[in-house]
Amino acid sequence: MTQLPKAKYRKDYQEPEFTITDVDLTFNLHPTETRVTSVLKVVRQGDHTKPLVLDGEQLTLLSLKVDGEDVAEDSYECNEHSLSLNTSLKAFTLEIENSVNPTANEALEGLYLAENTFCTQCEAEGFRRITYYPDRPDVLAKFTTTIIADKAEFPYLLSNGNRIKQLDLDNGKHMATWQDPFPKPCYLFALVAGNFDVLRDEFTTREGRTVDLELFVDKGNLDRADHAMLSLKNAMKWDEERFDLVYDLDIYMIVAVDFFNMGAMENKGLNVFNAKYVLANPATATDQDFLNVESVIGHEYFHNWTGNRVTCRDWFQLSLKEGLTVFRDQEFSSDLGSRAVNRIQDVRVIRSHQFAEDAGPMAHPIRPDKVVQMNNFYTVTVYNKGAEVIRMIHTLLGESGFQKGMKLYFERHDGKAVTCEDFVQAMEDANGEDFSRFRHWYSQAGTPVVTAEQSYDKDAKQLTLVLKQETASTPGQEQKAPFHIPVKWSAYSEQGAELSLSDNNLLHLKENESTFTFDNVVEKPILSLFDNFSAPVKVKRTISDDELRVLLAHSKDDFSRWDAAQSLFTRMIEKGINDDSAIELSAQTIDACRNLLQANTDPALKALALTLPSASTIADNYETIPVEAINTQLKSLKTQLAVALENDFSQLLSACKSEKAYQLVGDEIAKRQLKQVCLSYLAELGDAATDKLTEQFDQADNLTDQLGAMQAGVWANHSAAESLLNKFEQQWRGEKLVMDKWFSTQALANNEATVERVKDLMTHPDFSLKNPNRVYSLLAAFTQNQAQFHKADGAGYELIGSVIQQLNTSNPQVASRLLSAFVSWRRYDENRQKLMRNQLESLRQLPNLASDLFEKIESCLTE
Ligand code: B3K
Ligand code: ZN
């Protein structure tokens, strides 16, 4: 009988019994039998006589020596998960020799060989699949790495730090030795061996030091590497200017690989990237792809300080580095591009994904208390809500207070493995603040619902605002203490003039209920609350449509203008659902949309404001999600808006066309975005749009426009859709990253035939279940297709259930991502609940159920 995976608890943290000061690794690379020699300088930390326990998985132990002598068989024990050595020594050298099979490694964790490139992924607990080691982030050691491989096949041998030796060996082999002077946890270790094209550049730090920059891409892809290199240099400069942080090694390398479970990895001095976040040129990447490259390159670079120089004490502290680094990459994108657009997009992620996670059975605080499989906790909560928590600290302290806190944080903790608490403490101490209430954001899961009631006393010229907060219980947390919620606000007259009611535009809601009064208020104000989404909460308030329209037209806060539009749309959809009747577009709504289209506003903001809320954002407001009704109402609202505003959309579509060749600059990106929204509405009008769709597709000199035309056609079920899909396939067959978009477009089509189409596409020559990007683009995309994945006959569930079953043994991380689509099964009607539950139960029966799946299935089937 195999053992059930066990949970670990944050409260059980104990300091390591031993530390490692130096690691000397030698890899003799071989596709099926790579030999690893690891020489460790081990130092006992406490004075007890506990054995040394090293983690190790899927390894074959070949030999073991202490201080040069073979270890007697009765002095050590080796099992499936660990190697323990009985010793009373205080300090010693341990030499381990083991072998691994990189070809058999389809999980892409540890050392793997894919498309003739050896590559590693160690975070969170992958190093134990390379060699026996204390695989925990609070053991920091200096690494020296020697790699030996065939020279013709693997001309580049890379690892962390600086290359200190390279030489040719006999029989066609060569070797390279790398040394990383900064002590680091093993999750930051990396090794890459392969054949690449290299883009080289350099960056001069503000101290005048030259850093070599090297970008490794698959042969033939150099024409897609420039943007990533530019983004890297921009990130290095930005971090010096905004955060006073300078790069610390003489070389920075980025390798783009095709087989990778996630976006990228911040290994010290040697980032490994999913090629999707590196390769970009106008023909093969959309505007959004270019922006994503910039943001992920930035993110991994920023980890060099927030994550690598100061790292996590244990994995429960993951948000210490991820929340903070997401906040930093968001700021980077906002400083270089449009702050408002970035903010709105970040909020959309929170509302459409994080709120659902916070309301489901896997809900966890940004600093979790209990974990079975760490890979399950790289979540929108830890990352994106984590970044919102950092953003609130920034709101409370202001930029200069926040930077004071950062400075103290680095002064205290550089070179150490620390906790979220250490971060908050530094912020408090540097500013003389008290964040005791604020800390609940770290310890409590769930989305607070803030209720706002305002009343105005005309005679007393007094405005009263009552704010209440309530957070529903989440698994393991029945009662919630009140959060410290920063509420940014502004006020307007009925005509839209800004009213100044106070010289402070930030309220602090710290209790379950607080009353705020404003004196000398001469007219009844319209309040804009939670400007810039100042806290990750849901807001319930009484506000009329007319007042929302005033905010839409006049709020000085771009987020709040967008939010007012979203509220107006959501209200219409919800009314349609409740009354079970078609939405009637009022003249005021049409006018408000038309005014917005014609206003002198950033076209990107117009595009965002006129994009209807996603089905999942609407679903979030229902205890039992009315799948069909949401779908019907969204569709009908879109068509009605298209009919009512046809001329406006057509005119804007032409006006946004650019005479110039493609340029990746703010206003051109914004125009393309607005053009896309117009085209997607017009596509709802059927044949009238055929020429517009084909013309844009055929004439596009860039992927944004070409893909945009195809998506508008397919998602509107337009009669031109099939021909656009065919043309696209003819042109891009074999171009994997571009074909991913072809897969996603079809998987997201709201069309009765989609499930069958997705099944067919799984047999397409460009599809493979082994490559995570393909699985995400076709199958994970399909799970986001509310109406079709949740088709009442259960065909969508069956399809994804069977894929999860296949991936359970080969790549559990990818399987677990797909499983997320089932965890909120209780939110659906009885019929769907039954169908989803069946899938979960049959997965639960799988022999060798991966811990990744086990954890999610258990938590969502528990009563
Ligand atoms: N730190 C990595 C994520 C590792 C995920 C491990 N399952 C990328 C990042 O957040 O920068
Ligand atoms: Zn990160």
Side-chain angles (χ1 to χ4, degrees), residues 312-336:
C312 301
R313 184 193 74 174
D314 54 73
W315 289 119
F316 298 101
Q317 318 296 328
L318 180 62
S319 202
L320 172 79
K321 74 177 177 81
E322 295 304 347
L324 179 55
T325 305
V326 171
F327 170 77
R328 275 152 53 67
D329 84 52
Q330 290 175 347
E331 285 300 292
F332 171 57
S333 298
S334 302
D335 283 347
L336 266 63

PDB file of all heavy atoms in Angstrom, residues 312-336:
ATOM      1  N   CYS A 312      13.430  33.228   0.884  1.00  0.00           N
ATOM      2  CA  CYS A 312      12.378  32.802   1.812  1.00  0.00           C
ATOM      3  C   CYS A 312      12.917  31.797   2.823  1.00  0.00           C
ATOM      4  O   CYS A 312      13.663  30.891   2.464  1.00  0.00           O
ATOM      5  CB  CYS A 312      11.243  32.122   1.049  1.00  0.00           C
ATOM      6  SG  CYS A 312      10.477  33.164  -0.189  1.00  0.00           S
ATOM      7  N   ARG A 313      12.459  31.912   4.046  1.00  0.00           N
ATOM      8  CA  ARG A 313      12.889  30.972   5.082  1.00  0.00           C
ATOM      9  C   ARG A 313      12.294  29.584   4.831  1.00  0.00           C
ATOM     10  O   ARG A 313      12.923  28.559   5.033  1.00  0.00           O
ATOM     11  CB  ARG A 313      12.437  31.490   6.453  1.00  0.00           C
ATOM     12  CG  ARG A 313      12.912  30.658   7.596  1.00  0.00           C
ATOM     13  CD  ARG A 313      12.211  31.011   8.875  1.00  0.00           C
ATOM     14  NE  ARG A 313      10.839  30.509   8.878  1.00  0.00           N
ATOM     15  CZ  ARG A 313      10.024  30.565   9.916  1.00  0.00           C
ATOM     16  NH1 ARG A 313      10.422  31.151  11.039  1.00  0.00           N
ATOM     17  NH2 ARG A 313       8.797  30.082   9.853  1.00  0.00           N
ATOM     18  N   ASP A 314      11.043  29.561   4.430  1.00  0.00           N
ATOM     19  CA  ASP A 314      10.369  28.294   4.115  1.00  0.00           C
ATOM     20  C   ASP A 314       9.334  28.618   3.046  1.00  0.00           C
ATOM     21  O   ASP A 314       9.045  29.791   2.785  1.00  0.00           O
ATOM     22  CB  ASP A 314       9.717  27.708   5.377  1.00  0.00           C
ATOM     23  CG  ASP A 314       8.794  28.705   6.040  1.00  0.00           C
ATOM     24  OD1 ASP A 314       7.706  28.937   5.487  1.00  0.00           O
ATOM     25  OD2 ASP A 314       9.167  29.291   7.089  1.00  0.00           O
ATOM     26  N   TRP A 315       8.747  27.581   2.445  1.00  0.00           N
ATOM     27  CA  TRP A 315       7.873  27.835   1.299  1.00  0.00           C
ATOM     28  C   TRP A 315       6.535  28.470   1.665  1.00  0.00           C
ATOM     29  O   TRP A 315       5.842  29.001   0.799  1.00  0.00           O
ATOM     30  CB  TRP A 315       7.693  26.566   0.459  1.00  0.00           C
ATOM     31  CG  TRP A 315       8.956  26.243  -0.274  1.00  0.00           C
ATOM     32  CD1 TRP A 315       9.708  25.121  -0.157  1.00  0.00           C
ATOM     33  CD2 TRP A 315       9.634  27.092  -1.213  1.00  0.00           C
ATOM     34  NE1 TRP A 315      10.815  25.205  -0.969  1.00  0.00           N
ATOM     35  CE2 TRP A 315      10.799  26.404  -1.629  1.00  0.00           C
ATOM     36  CE3 TRP A 315       9.386  28.363  -1.740  1.00  0.00           C
ATOM     37  CZ2 TRP A 315      11.700  26.934  -2.553  1.00  0.00           C
ATOM     38  CZ3 TRP A 315      10.279  28.894  -2.652  1.00  0.00           C
ATOM     39  CH2 TRP A 315      11.419  28.193  -3.045  1.00  0.00           C
ATOM     40  N   PHE A 316       6.184  28.449   2.948  1.00  0.00           N
ATOM     41  CA  PHE A 316       4.957  29.159   3.341  1.00  0.00           C
ATOM     42  C   PHE A 316       5.118  30.667   3.114  1.00  0.00           C
ATOM     43  O   PHE A 316       4.157  31.395   3.022  1.00  0.00           O
ATOM     44  CB  PHE A 316       4.633  28.890   4.811  1.00  0.00           C
ATOM     45  CG  PHE A 316       4.370  27.430   5.086  1.00  0.00           C
ATOM     46  CD1 PHE A 316       5.344  26.629   5.661  1.00  0.00           C
ATOM     47  CD2 PHE A 316       3.160  26.867   4.732  1.00  0.00           C
ATOM     48  CE1 PHE A 316       5.111  25.280   5.889  1.00  0.00           C
ATOM     49  CE2 PHE A 316       2.911  25.516   4.953  1.00  0.00           C
ATOM     50  CZ  PHE A 316       3.894  24.718   5.531  1.00  0.00           C
ATOM     51  N   GLN A 317       6.381  31.099   3.036  1.00  0.00           N
ATOM     52  CA  GLN A 317       6.676  32.530   2.868  1.00  0.00           C
ATOM     53  C   GLN A 317       6.763  32.925   1.397  1.00  0.00           C
ATOM     54  O   GLN A 317       7.269  33.999   1.066  1.00  0.00           O
ATOM     55  CB  GLN A 317       8.010  32.893   3.545  1.00  0.00           C
ATOM     56  CG  GLN A 317       8.255  32.278   4.910  1.00  0.00           C
ATOM     57  CD  GLN A 317       7.268  32.737   5.956  1.00  0.00           C
ATOM     58  OE1 GLN A 317       6.785  33.878   5.890  1.00  0.00           O
ATOM     59  NE2 GLN A 317       6.959  31.878   6.904  1.00  0.00           N
ATOM     60  N   LEU A 318       6.311  32.082   0.507  1.00  0.00           N
ATOM     61  CA  LEU A 318       6.502  32.334  -0.921  1.00  0.00           C
ATOM     62  C   LEU A 318       6.114  33.754  -1.351  1.00  0.00           C
ATOM     63  O   LEU A 318       6.781  34.381  -2.172  1.00  0.00           O
ATOM     64  CB  LEU A 318       5.711  31.299  -1.740  1.00  0.00           C
ATOM     65  CG  LEU A 318       5.800  31.431  -3.254  1.00  0.00           C
ATOM     66  CD1 LEU A 318       7.228  31.248  -3.740  1.00  0.00           C
ATOM     67  CD2 LEU A 318       4.892  30.406  -3.952  1.00  0.00           C
ATOM     68  N   SER A 319       5.038  34.264  -0.761  1.00  0.00           N
ATOM     69  CA  SER A 319       4.585  35.595  -1.182  1.00  0.00           C
ATOM     70  C   SER A 319       5.598  36.699  -0.826  1.00  0.00           C
ATOM     71  O   SER A 319       5.571  37.784  -1.411  1.00  0.00           O
ATOM     72  CB  SER A 319       3.210  35.928  -0.579  1.00  0.00           C
ATOM     73  OG  SER A 319       2.590  36.926  -1.351  1.00  0.00           O
ATOM     74  N   LEU A 320       6.483  36.397   0.137  1.00  0.00           N
ATOM     75  CA  LEU A 320       7.548  37.358   0.458  1.00  0.00           C
ATOM     76  C   LEU A 320       8.272  37.759  -0.813  1.00  0.00           C
ATOM     77  O   LEU A 320       8.546  38.936  -1.053  1.00  0.00           O
ATOM     78  CB  LEU A 320       8.548  36.717   1.427  1.00  0.00           C
ATOM     79  CG  LEU A 320       9.816  37.546   1.690  1.00  0.00           C
ATOM     80  CD1 LEU A 320       9.527  38.652   2.693  1.00  0.00           C
ATOM     81  CD2 LEU A 320      10.968  36.677   2.175  1.00  0.00           C
ATOM     82  N   LYS A 321       8.600  36.770  -1.653  1.00  0.00           N
ATOM     83  CA  LYS A 321       9.299  37.119  -2.890  1.00  0.00           C
ATOM     84  C   LYS A 321       8.347  37.312  -4.056  1.00  0.00           C
ATOM     85  O   LYS A 321       8.580  38.158  -4.903  1.00  0.00           O
ATOM     86  CB  LYS A 321      10.398  36.083  -3.213  1.00  0.00           C
ATOM     87  CG  LYS A 321       9.923  34.731  -3.737  1.00  0.00           C
ATOM     88  CD  LYS A 321      11.129  33.838  -4.085  1.00  0.00           C
ATOM     89  CE  LYS A 321      10.769  32.440  -4.554  1.00  0.00           C
ATOM     90  NZ  LYS A 321      10.383  32.337  -5.966  1.00  0.00           N
ATOM     91  N   GLU A 322       7.251  36.536  -4.122  1.00  0.00           N
ATOM     92  CA  GLU A 322       6.402  36.633  -5.313  1.00  0.00           C
ATOM     93  C   GLU A 322       5.468  37.838  -5.283  1.00  0.00           C
ATOM     94  O   GLU A 322       5.353  38.564  -6.264  1.00  0.00           O
ATOM     95  CB  GLU A 322       5.628  35.333  -5.528  1.00  0.00           C
ATOM     96  CG  GLU A 322       6.521  34.121  -5.839  1.00  0.00           C
ATOM     97  CD  GLU A 322       7.442  34.321  -7.035  1.00  0.00           C
ATOM     98  OE1 GLU A 322       7.265  35.291  -7.807  1.00  0.00           O
ATOM     99  OE2 GLU A 322       8.382  33.508  -7.190  1.00  0.00           O
ATOM    100  N   GLY A 323       4.805  38.065  -4.151  1.00  0.00           N
ATOM    101  CA  GLY A 323       3.921  39.233  -4.077  1.00  0.00           C
ATOM    102  C   GLY A 323       4.724  40.503  -4.328  1.00  0.00           C
ATOM    103  O   GLY A 323       4.344  41.369  -5.123  1.00  0.00           O
ATOM    104  N   LEU A 324       5.878  40.587  -3.673  1.00  0.00           N
ATOM    105  CA  LEU A 324       6.712  41.779  -3.810  1.00  0.00           C
ATOM    106  C   LEU A 324       7.253  41.927  -5.234  1.00  0.00           C
ATOM    107  O   LEU A 324       7.284  43.031  -5.786  1.00  0.00           O
ATOM    108  CB  LEU A 324       7.863  41.701  -2.791  1.00  0.00           C
ATOM    109  CG  LEU A 324       8.874  42.832  -2.783  1.00  0.00           C
ATOM    110  CD1 LEU A 324       8.188  44.196  -2.615  1.00  0.00           C
ATOM    111  CD2 LEU A 324       9.896  42.634  -1.649  1.00  0.00           C
ATOM    112  N   THR A 325       7.643  40.819  -5.833  1.00  0.00           N
ATOM    113  CA  THR A 325       8.222  40.917  -7.176  1.00  0.00           C
ATOM    114  C   THR A 325       7.140  41.180  -8.225  1.00  0.00           C
ATOM    115  O   THR A 325       7.377  41.906  -9.198  1.00  0.00           O
ATOM    116  CB  THR A 325       9.067  39.668  -7.489  1.00  0.00           C
ATOM    117  OG1 THR A 325      10.040  39.529  -6.452  1.00  0.00           O
ATOM    118  CG2 THR A 325       9.778  39.792  -8.823  1.00  0.00           C
ATOM    119  N   VAL A 326       5.947  40.657  -8.029  1.00  0.00           N
ATOM    120  CA  VAL A 326       4.852  41.013  -8.944  1.00  0.00           C
ATOM    121  C   VAL A 326       4.557  42.513  -8.811  1.00  0.00           C
ATOM    122  O   VAL A 326       4.408  43.220  -9.812  1.00  0.00           O
ATOM    123  CB  VAL A 326       3.573  40.182  -8.676  1.00  0.00           C
ATOM    124  CG1 VAL A 326       2.398  40.715  -9.489  1.00  0.00           C
ATOM    125  CG2 VAL A 326       3.815  38.715  -9.016  1.00  0.00           C
ATOM    126  N   PHE A 327       4.515  42.995  -7.566  1.00  0.00           N
ATOM    127  CA  PHE A 327       4.306  44.439  -7.387  1.00  0.00           C
ATOM    128  C   PHE A 327       5.373  45.227  -8.148  1.00  0.00           C
ATOM    129  O   PHE A 327       5.076  46.189  -8.861  1.00  0.00           O
ATOM    130  CB  PHE A 327       4.362  44.803  -5.894  1.00  0.00           C
ATOM    131  CG  PHE A 327       4.385  46.294  -5.641  1.00  0.00           C
ATOM    132  CD1 PHE A 327       3.213  47.039  -5.740  1.00  0.00           C
ATOM    133  CD2 PHE A 327       5.573  46.953  -5.336  1.00  0.00           C
ATOM    134  CE1 PHE A 327       3.230  48.419  -5.531  1.00  0.00           C
ATOM    135  CE2 PHE A 327       5.601  48.322  -5.137  1.00  0.00           C
ATOM    136  CZ  PHE A 327       4.426  49.070  -5.233  1.00  0.00           C
ATOM    137  N   ARG A 328       6.612  44.775  -8.050  1.00  0.00           N
ATOM    138  CA  ARG A 328       7.696  45.484  -8.736  1.00  0.00           C
ATOM    139  C   ARG A 328       7.551  45.394 -10.256  1.00  0.00           C
ATOM    140  O   ARG A 328       7.748  46.389 -10.967  1.00  0.00           O
ATOM    141  CB  ARG A 328       9.058  44.927  -8.270  1.00  0.00           C
ATOM    142  CG  ARG A 328       9.530  45.591  -6.977  1.00  0.00           C
ATOM    143  CD  ARG A 328      10.443  44.749  -6.092  1.00  0.00           C
ATOM    144  NE  ARG A 328      11.641  44.156  -6.675  1.00  0.00           N
ATOM    145  CZ  ARG A 328      12.716  44.810  -7.120  1.00  0.00           C
ATOM    146  NH1 ARG A 328      12.734  46.139  -7.102  1.00  0.00           N
ATOM    147  NH2 ARG A 328      13.760  44.151  -7.567  1.00  0.00           N
ATOM    148  N   ASP A 329       7.158  44.220 -10.764  1.00  0.00           N
ATOM    149  CA  ASP A 329       7.029  44.157 -12.230  1.00  0.00           C
ATOM    150  C   ASP A 329       5.816  44.980 -12.703  1.00  0.00           C
ATOM    151  O   ASP A 329       5.845  45.585 -13.771  1.00  0.00           O
ATOM    152  CB  ASP A 329       7.063  42.708 -12.741  1.00  0.00           C
ATOM    153  CG  ASP A 329       5.741  41.960 -12.717  1.00  0.00           C
ATOM    154  OD1 ASP A 329       4.746  42.471 -13.234  1.00  0.00           O
ATOM    155  OD2 ASP A 329       5.716  40.812 -12.232  1.00  0.00           O
ATOM    156  N   GLN A 330       4.781  45.039 -11.874  1.00  0.00           N
ATOM    157  CA  GLN A 330       3.629  45.872 -12.248  1.00  0.00           C
ATOM    158  C   GLN A 330       4.030  47.350 -12.318  1.00  0.00           C
ATOM    159  O   GLN A 330       3.622  48.082 -13.221  1.00  0.00           O
ATOM    160  CB  GLN A 330       2.497  45.717 -11.226  1.00  0.00           C
ATOM    161  CG  GLN A 330       1.816  44.359 -11.263  1.00  0.00           C
ATOM    162  CD  GLN A 330       0.777  44.173 -10.163  1.00  0.00           C
ATOM    163  OE1 GLN A 330       0.719  44.964  -9.207  1.00  0.00           O
ATOM    164  NE2 GLN A 330      -0.039  43.134 -10.282  1.00  0.00           N
ATOM    165  N   GLU A 331       4.840  47.753 -11.358  1.00  0.00           N
ATOM    166  CA  GLU A 331       5.297  49.144 -11.354  1.00  0.00           C
ATOM    167  C   GLU A 331       6.210  49.436 -12.549  1.00  0.00           C
ATOM    168  O   GLU A 331       6.145  50.505 -13.151  1.00  0.00           O
ATOM    169  CB  GLU A 331       6.017  49.459 -10.039  1.00  0.00           C
ATOM    170  CG  GLU A 331       5.071  49.633  -8.874  1.00  0.00           C
ATOM    171  CD  GLU A 331       4.084  50.779  -9.118  1.00  0.00           C
ATOM    172  OE1 GLU A 331       4.505  51.944  -9.158  1.00  0.00           O
ATOM    173  OE2 GLU A 331       2.885  50.498  -9.288  1.00  0.00           O
ATOM    174  N   PHE A 332       7.043  48.479 -12.878  1.00  0.00           N
ATOM    175  CA  PHE A 332       7.934  48.605 -14.041  1.00  0.00           C
ATOM    176  C   PHE A 332       7.100  48.808 -15.306  1.00  0.00           C
ATOM    177  O   PHE A 332       7.301  49.774 -16.056  1.00  0.00           O
ATOM    178  CB  PHE A 332       8.771  47.317 -14.121  1.00  0.00           C
ATOM    179  CG  PHE A 332       9.610  47.136 -15.360  1.00  0.00           C
ATOM    180  CD1 PHE A 332      10.562  48.078 -15.734  1.00  0.00           C
ATOM    181  CD2 PHE A 332       9.479  45.985 -16.137  1.00  0.00           C
ATOM    182  CE1 PHE A 332      11.366  47.882 -16.869  1.00  0.00           C
ATOM    183  CE2 PHE A 332      10.264  45.770 -17.260  1.00  0.00           C
ATOM    184  CZ  PHE A 332      11.202  46.730 -17.635  1.00  0.00           C
ATOM    185  N   SER A 333       6.117  47.930 -15.524  1.00  0.00           N
ATOM    186  CA  SER A 333       5.270  48.072 -16.718  1.00  0.00           C
ATOM    187  C   SER A 333       4.514  49.394 -16.698  1.00  0.00           C
ATOM    188  O   SER A 333       4.324  50.013 -17.737  1.00  0.00           O
ATOM    189  CB  SER A 333       4.260  46.929 -16.803  1.00  0.00           C
ATOM    190  OG  SER A 333       4.921  45.701 -16.913  1.00  0.00           O
ATOM    191  N   SER A 334       4.086  49.811 -15.515  1.00  0.00           N
ATOM    192  CA  SER A 334       3.314  51.056 -15.425  1.00  0.00           C
ATOM    193  C   SER A 334       4.193  52.278 -15.680  1.00  0.00           C
ATOM    194  O   SER A 334       3.744  53.255 -16.265  1.00  0.00           O
ATOM    195  CB  SER A 334       2.675  51.196 -14.043  1.00  0.00           C
ATOM    196  OG  SER A 334       1.854  50.086 -13.804  1.00  0.00           O
ATOM    197  N   ASP A 335       5.433  52.242 -15.206  1.00  0.00           N
ATOM    198  CA  ASP A 335       6.336  53.373 -15.439  1.00  0.00           C
ATOM    199  C   ASP A 335       6.742  53.464 -16.918  1.00  0.00           C
ATOM    200  O   ASP A 335       6.947  54.542 -17.448  1.00  0.00           O
ATOM    201  CB  ASP A 335       7.596  53.268 -14.567  1.00  0.00           C
ATOM    202  CG  ASP A 335       7.329  53.678 -13.117  1.00  0.00           C
ATOM    203  OD1 ASP A 335       6.255  54.271 -12.848  1.00  0.00           O
ATOM    204  OD2 ASP A 335       8.181  53.413 -12.246  1.00  0.00           O
ATOM    205  N   LEU A 336       6.839  52.302 -17.573  1.00  0.00           N
ATOM    206  CA  LEU A 336       7.263  52.329 -18.981  1.00  0.00           C
ATOM    207  C   LEU A 336       6.090  52.471 -19.948  1.00  0.00           C
ATOM    208  O   LEU A 336       6.254  52.940 -21.065  1.00  0.00           O
ATOM    209  CB  LEU A 336       8.041  51.040 -19.332  1.00  0.00           C
ATOM    210  CG  LEU A 336       9.554  51.143 -19.199  1.00  0.00           C
ATOM    211  CD1 LEU A 336       9.976  51.409 -17.775  1.00  0.00           C
ATOM    212  CD2 LEU A 336      10.235  49.886 -19.713  1.00  0.00           C
TER     213      LEU A 336
END
